[in-house]
Amino acid sequence: MKSVFKNAGIVVLAGTFVLSGCSGNGNGSTNQANSPDQEANFNKTGLPIVNEAVSLTMVSPKAALAPEYSEMEIFKRLEKDTNVEINWENIPDTDYVEKKNLLLASGDLPDAFYGAGFTDYELINYGKDGTIIPLEDLIDQYAPNLKALLERRPDIKSSITAPDGHIYGLPSWEDNNLGTNPFFHVINKSWLDKLGLKMPETLDEYTEALLAFKTQDPNGNGKQDEIPLSFMHMQWCMDIAGIFGAFGLPDNLEHRVVRDGKVIFTAIQPEYKEALNYFHEKWYKQGLIDPESFTQDAAQYLAKGKTTDETLGSYIWWEVEEVVGTERGKDYALLSPLKGPNGDQTIGRSNGGGPGRGAFVITKENTNPDITMRWIDEQYEPYMAAQIHWGPLDIVYEKDENGKLVNLPLPEGTSAGEFRQKVAPGSGGPGVITFEDFGKVVDMEPRAQQRAEDLEEYYNAYMEKENYPSIFFEPEELDKINKIEPELIKYVNTQRGKFIVDGGADEQWDNYVKTLEKMGLNEIMEIYQTGLDRYNANLKK
Amino acid sequence: MNQLLKRKSRGDAWFDIINYILLTIIMLLVLFPLYFVLIASFSDPNYIYSGEVWLFPKGFTLDGYERIFGDSSIWIGYANSILYATLGTLIGVAVTVFAAYPLARRNLVGKSAIMWFLLVTMFFSGGLIPTYLLIKDLHMLNTIWALVIPGAGGVFNVIIVRTFFQSSIPDEMWEAASIDGCSNTRFFWSIVLPLSKSILAVMVLYHVVGFWNGFFDALIYLNDESKYPLQLVLRNILVQNQVNSGMMIDVESYAAKMRVTELIKYGVIMVSSLPLLILYPFLQKYFVKGVMIGSIKG
């Protein structure tokens, strides 16, 4: 009840503000709040949403290759169906964060942010000060698709609900479990065969294989140009974090794992130290690690797989072909987790992985929150959600006889990723494609299917049972985390590189741990633990 | 070479030879990166990254240029950049010179107060958000004016030009002219400006380069892609997103993005820096003279 008043208050307020200084694209929506004409114009159910066209302004990031959203087929169709005209202000995704902060700080607000990418912190803070409005009542009244989804999937509902009980941002999710382990470990199978080695099963066998790659000229060009192992230090899907599992404790980008409901910081554990010592002694010292692993960017990394002579012995990337190309991909094979010196064989489970929470927010400037909610709800209908994420019917998809969306052939000379960017907002956009929808509503892309199969075949059996879910923290907790964590993780990562390259983990260990404690490690681990306990208690409710 | 050696003492000759060698090395150091960008723009990106390109293009391809020339947004950006640079330079140089000349004259009342007033702005600025709000309230958002007006008359430039006037236009000249019945305005247009070609050229160059390379203002104030200057268009194409867990979601777009980027990166650098490379030699002769004179005698 309280929030109904709040909404009414906001509507009146916005009416009195009437967009002081409209942003030059002539969108001062002159609708008087709650006038009778407006009531009559708005249809609570069915399409169109409004009889007379109403326009809303929305700010949204877009990919570099994409046209303005007003030019995008999918939005043209939406406008035709709903009679709601959107004045898009598209910001290139590279500059979006900067510009979004500026708009918010200066109070130069659109009606809504689409594909908004609001962080938890922004959701809570701007929710508190009324810059963005709570949406739960609007969802209740005007969003049948979304409401049904949240009823069907209480986990999504609890995930997008802020600690104060309001929903400020709408979810975006492709619920396909593909991110559980991004660190696919790849080895050059054809070289192994050539050198008469079997697929390594233990870490030591793997090390021997790398050494053979380095010294025995498996590509046969008479030069020692082979790169036994290349990776990208502390990067999603390219780091050796998974290999740490051979020592009993897999690492990940946050250095944070959960076992039996207890949060563990990996980078101060003995297993982690043992792993670093091994990588330094056995790998780096023997020249098995590509020294550029700590500095290269993705472009350089990907180019290494495509050199004239095959030079890459082993690498980490969650898709074999992306690094070495389809032709050469046949020479490479995935490795299951390796058995460590003490017989450990485990792989990590990525943290987070629930729905995104900030895909769509409505600001206080919006005089038509009901229309806006109905408009966005269209995109939570499963078929529409799939089209928003991957592209529209007749362009990317067609319906087969069971009514499932199946991919049409791509236009000549474009890649799927490139093409999709041009026709759909993509993964940051609103809309949820649930696990049940895959295969029923929409085909998983072939590449995604491949990845799901690979995970099943090589990794799922060895995977950690728990992970750290994406928890909606209290603002003061977030404050503390944001203050401590970036510096701390930076230090840990730098040291991790140093210990692998220069060694000395044993001598410097105490000092290193002390430094971390000084930086506030215990404080944030405590917050993480409290957050997790709270989350688990909520699930049991 | 022989003649050269005859006319000079041995030491001098050696000095010359070593001098030329050093200068050649320095020239190569400066030229090679440019040259590398040129050949890289014709090469297959994978060869560039594996370090196989360094003297000649490898895996010769025109794909990059095809994409660039086929992309209308780059040309729109070009046109916009030329427009902003021209208009912005005109306004900027005019404001700078008009501000500097009176400040260079001894008989301006309240000169030091005005100077202080200007100097303060060099050290204290309103900050990003207040500036944004100001531009917004002036209704300049999403218009060309937001780019060309707010930055006009930079204090630093005003000081340079003022110093130039003080040091190269003697007061006696004004006295002589005014005895002949010359008005202030006439003096400024017919005598001061023609004598100040070098500093004007410097100012023009500063402004053009500034506008040509500037992207931040455009980023903040413009919303329509059709108004983006070239640098912003390029930035949007080139700036790479880090690979992050967002990649989890879209399996392919990262690689696709990257391929395009790598393909056109060097070509785009060529295309966008060409105008300035052409402009520099023409203004260079004034450049050395103007800046030096402006810098001596505070």
Side-chain angles (χ1 to χ4, degrees):
Chain A
M1 199 64 227
K2 201 175 95 188
S3 53
V4 174
F5 279 117
K6 208 167 170 185
N7 275 350
I10 283 162
V11 170
V12 173
L13 257 183
T16 52
F17 271 109
V18 183
L19 297 174
S20 51
C22 73
S23 49
N25 42 13
N27 53 24
S29 55
T30 48
N31 303 325
Q32 283 304 306
N34 297 341
S35 68
D37 310 352
Q38 222 179 313
E39 294 278 322
N41 193 21
F42 174 59
N43 303 316
K44 280 208 166 69
T45 51
L47 290 174
I49 295 173
V50 283
N51 304 329
E52 294 286 316
V54 168
S55 65
L56 300 166
T57 52
M58 291 192 192
V59 167
S60 171
K62 75 171 192 60
L65 296 171
E68 295 272 321
Y69 282 2
S70 48
E71 304 291 310
M72 238 183 221
E73 182 60 28
I74 187 122
F75 288 116
K76 282 186 185 161
R77 288 183 200 172
L78 260 172
E79 183 177 333
K80 218 168 75 204
D81 293 343
T82 60
N83 221 354
V84 177
E85 183 193 341
I86 308 293
N87 290 317
W88 289 105
E89 186 180 318
N90 282 129
I91 297 163
D93 51 11
T94 39
D95 304 320
Y96 177 69
V97 173
E98 217 161 25
K99 193 114 185 208
K100 174 187 71 181
N101 292 343
L102 186 69
L103 293 175
L104 286 164
S106 63
D108 185 14
L109 298 172
D111 288 330
F113 286 88
Y114 180 96
F118 270 49
T119 60
D120 293 355
Y121 196 76
E122 285 165 340
L123 288 173
I124 296 177
N125 274 340
Y126 290 118
K128 260 200 180 133
D129 72 13
T131 306
I132 56 177
I133 61 174
L135 306 174
E136 57 277 5
D137 296 343
L138 289 167
I139 293 171
D140 212 40
Q141 289 176 47
Y142 303 113
N145 293 318
L146 185 55
K147 194 175 162 183
L149 174 77
L150 297 182
E151 275 163 9
R152 212 168 51 237
R153 294 287 301 267
D155 60 313
I156 297 180
K157 183 165 184 174
S158 79
S159 168
I160 61 172
T161 305
D164 65 4
H166 290 298
I167 294 174
Y168 295 111
L170 300 185
S172 162
W173 198 15
E174 292 162 17
D175 178 17
N176 52 17
N177 283 335
L178 286 183
T180 46
N181 166 39
F183 305 112
F184 281 33
H185 195 172
V186 187
I187 193 159
N188 194 325
K189 180 88 176 59
S190 74
W191 285 5
L192 288 172
D193 297 343
K194 203 166 174 179
L195 303 172
L197 297 160
K198 65 177 187 57
M199 263 315 242
E201 286 170 15
T202 68
L203 193 61
D204 291 322
E205 283 171 10
Y206 176 72
T207 306
E208 276 158 37
L210 293 187
L211 202 56
F213 288 167
K214 185 179 171 71
T215 51
Q216 300 182 20
D217 190 30
N219 66 5
N221 65 354
K223 282 185 276 190
Q224 215 192 66
D225 58 353
E226 288 82 0
I227 303 170
L229 166 65
S230 193
F231 60 94
M232 276 172 72
H233 189 240
M234 293 319 299
Q235 294 285 345
W236 174 261
C237 97
M238 325 170 199
D239 183 66
I240 48 174
I243 307 177
F244 279 72
F247 295 87
L249 186 72
D251 193 18
N252 56 29
L253 300 184
E254 300 81 25
H255 306 294
R256 193 168 66 239
V257 296
V258 179
R259 285 183 172 170
D260 303 328
K262 289 278 163 285
V263 189
I264 302 166
F265 191 73
T266 56
I268 52 170
Q269 305 306 325
E271 295 94 336
Y272 178 86
K273 183 168 80 171
E274 202 185 339
L276 291 179
N277 282 333
Y278 186 97
F279 299 150
H280 170 66
E281 287 295 327
K282 295 270 166 54
W283 290 0
Y284 200 85
K285 261 192 169 164
Q286 302 198 72
L288 304 183
I289 295 180
D290 172 10
E292 288 179 12
S293 296
F294 299 92
T295 52
Q296 62 193 348
D297 63 21
Q300 291 165 290
Y301 184 57
L302 292 179
K304 284 188 174 144
K306 303 183 184 80
T307 43
T308 323
D309 295 330
E310 203 165 291
T311 52
L312 211 48
S314 179
Y315 59 90
I316 322 265
W317 186 285
W318 63 358
E319 191 181 351
V320 174
E321 291 80 14
E322 188 137 30
V323 180
V324 292
T326 30
E327 200 38 50
R328 215 173 262 188
K330 300 184 187 81
D331 292 352
Y332 290 81
L334 288 172
L335 273 171
S336 265
L338 299 160
K339 272 199 202 68
N342 319 323
D344 296 298
Q345 190 177 13
T346 111
I347 190 91
R349 179 181 294 272
S350 303
N351 293 331
R357 303 187 250 266
F360 189 82
V361 298
I362 297 178
T363 70
K364 64 180 179 197
E365 296 291 336
N366 191 326
T367 51
N368 301 304
D370 43 4
I371 297 173
T372 313
M373 184 48 83
R374 285 217 54 206
W375 180 84
I376 195 72
D377 184 56
E378 287 299 307
Q379 300 172 40
Y380 283 89
E381 188 274 318
Y383 282 95
M384 194 66 199
Q387 294 180 61
I388 289 284
H389 281 247
W390 298 298
L393 261 175
D394 311 326
I395 294 177
V396 171
Y397 289 119
E398 58 181 359
K399 278 195 177 176
D400 67 0
E401 62 278 8
N402 314 324
K404 183 169 71 168
L405 298 173
V406 289
N407 284 296
L408 287 166
L410 285 170
E412 207 50 45
T414 52
S415 70
E418 222 176 301
F419 185 60
R420 285 216 178 90
Q421 282 192 40
K422 291 183 181 160
V423 294
S427 43
V432 173
I433 298 94
T434 60
F435 199 69
E436 303 81 58
D437 293 338
F438 281 109
K440 198 175 77 185
V441 169
V442 61
D443 249 349
M444 222 186 229
E445 318 169 51
R447 298 168 40 135
Q449 276 168 3
Q450 178 63 47
R451 192 170 297 171
E453 285 159 24
D454 288 343
L455 275 167
E456 191 46 52
E457 187 176 345
Y458 294 96
Y459 296 110
N460 285 352
Y462 309 100
M463 205 173 280
E464 291 281 318
K465 296 290 166 279
E466 299 161 75
N467 75 341
Y468 198 88
S470 87
I471 291 171
F472 216 140
F473 285 103
E474 300 274 359
E476 44 280 1
E477 290 172 335
L478 274 177
D479 268 335
K480 216 167 207 165
I481 291 175
N482 290 343
K483 204 173 79 196
I484 296 170
E485 191 165 63
E487 287 299 312
L488 186 123
I489 293 289
K490 205 158 126 191
Y491 174 72
V492 169
N493 293 350
T494 315
Q495 286 301 328
R496 188 183 190 247
K498 272 201 184 125
F499 289 146
I500 293 174
V501 175
D502 308 331
D506 287 323
E507 300 81 70
Q508 297 166 38
W509 195 252
D510 292 347
N511 215 341
Y512 158 79
V513 175
K514 263 201 207 89
T515 310
L516 286 175
E517 279 166 2
K518 245 192 257 150
M519 290 174 101
L521 175 65
N522 298 338
E523 282 171 69
I524 56 171
M525 290 323 279
E526 203 173 308
I527 295 173
Y528 280 123
Q529 187 65 58
T530 334
L532 185 66
D533 295 345
R534 201 169 51 215
Y535 176 89
N536 287 334
N538 272 345
L539 277 190
K540 286 194 187 91
K541 264 181 204 165
Chain B
M1 198 73 201
N2 266 339
Q3 279 197 338
L4 200 147
L5 288 177
K6 264 181 211 150
R7 265 187 298 113
K8 291 187 174 175
S9 75
R10 255 193 126 129
D12 278 352
W14 274 114
F15 175 80
D16 278 351
I17 290 166
I18 289 171
N19 219 356
Y20 280 122
I21 290 172
L22 280 178
L23 285 173
T24 311
I25 290 171
I26 291 169
M27 182 185 81
L28 286 177
L29 283 178
V30 173
L31 273 184
F32 181 72
L34 282 172
Y35 173 73
F36 178 80
V37 169
L38 179 66
I39 56 172
S41 68
F42 293 107
S43 304
D44 182 327
N46 286 322
Y47 291 123
I48 301 170
Y49 276 105
S50 52
E52 293 174 57
V53 175
W54 74 281
L55 257 189
F56 300 105
K58 189 161 178 182
F60 187 87
T61 168
L62 288 171
D63 283 1
Y65 283 107
E66 258 169 45
R67 267 180 179 277
I68 294 168
F69 292 116
D71 185 346
S72 62
S73 66
I74 289 189
W75 296 114
I76 294 170
Y78 233 106
N80 286 335
S81 269
I82 292 171
L83 174 68
Y84 299 154
T86 321
L87 189 67
T89 304
L90 276 175
I91 296 174
V93 173
V95 170
T96 307
V97 172
F98 290 152
Y101 176 67
L103 288 169
R105 289 278 298 271
R106 289 230 176 111
N107 50 354
L108 175 73
V109 182
K111 198 167 101 173
S112 61
I114 296 173
M115 211 57 224
W116 270 109
F117 184 72
L118 292 179
L119 279 173
V120 166
T121 65
M122 276 180 81
F123 300 99
F124 304 99
S125 75
L128 179 61
I129 286 165
T131 311
Y132 180 84
L133 289 173
L134 174 68
I135 302 291
K136 182 183 146 191
D137 292 343
L138 293 169
H139 296 289
M140 285 186 186
L141 277 190
N142 208 15
T143 64
I144 178 173
W145 309 113
L147 305 188
V148 296
I149 289 181
V155 179
F156 188 75
N157 290 339
V158 170
I159 292 173
I160 291 181
V161 179
R162 184 199 64 161
T163 312
F164 176 90
F165 287 151
Q166 279 174 340
S167 56
S168 61
I169 315 278
D171 281 353
E172 291 79 8
M173 204 184 278
W174 159 244
E175 282 163 19
S178 63
I179 286 168
D180 288 341
C182 177
S183 71
N184 266 316
T185 320
R186 174 79 193 270
F187 180 70
F188 177 73
W189 283 112
S190 316
I191 298 174
V192 175
L193 284 187
L195 286 173
S196 315
K197 278 203 195 88
S198 59
I199 198 75
L200 286 178
V202 171
M203 281 301 126
V204 167
L205 191 69
Y206 273 1
H207 279 87
V208 170
V209 173
F211 280 107
W212 192 261
N213 291 337
F215 72 93
F216 190 73
D217 282 0
L219 172 80
I220 298 295
Y221 300 127
L222 299 183
N223 303 327
D224 298 352
E225 265 188 31
S226 58
K227 297 197 178 87
Y228 283 176
L230 182 63
Q231 299 300 339
L232 202 52
V233 176
L234 300 187
R235 187 183 138 95
N236 296 341
I237 296 174
L238 292 180
V239 173
Q240 290 262 346
N241 295 343
Q242 283 252 306
V243 187
N244 57 19
S245 29
M247 269 182 68
M248 257 163 70
I249 304 168
D250 197 338
V251 191
E252 213 185 354
S253 70
Y254 177 75
K257 238 188 214 167
M258 230 176 56
R259 219 196 83 223
V260 179
T261 305
E262 293 313 313
L263 203 60
I264 65 172
K265 189 149 90 181
Y266 293 103
V268 149
I269 296 173
M270 285 320 297
V271 170
S272 66
S273 37
L274 214 55
L276 287 188
L277 289 175
I278 293 168
L279 187 72
Y280 253 103
F282 289 106
L283 291 173
Q284 205 254 355
K285 61 176 185 197
Y286 298 112
F287 203 66
V288 179
K289 210 161 67 182
V291 173
M292 291 316 290
I293 288 174
S295 62
I296 299 168
K297 295 192 210 167

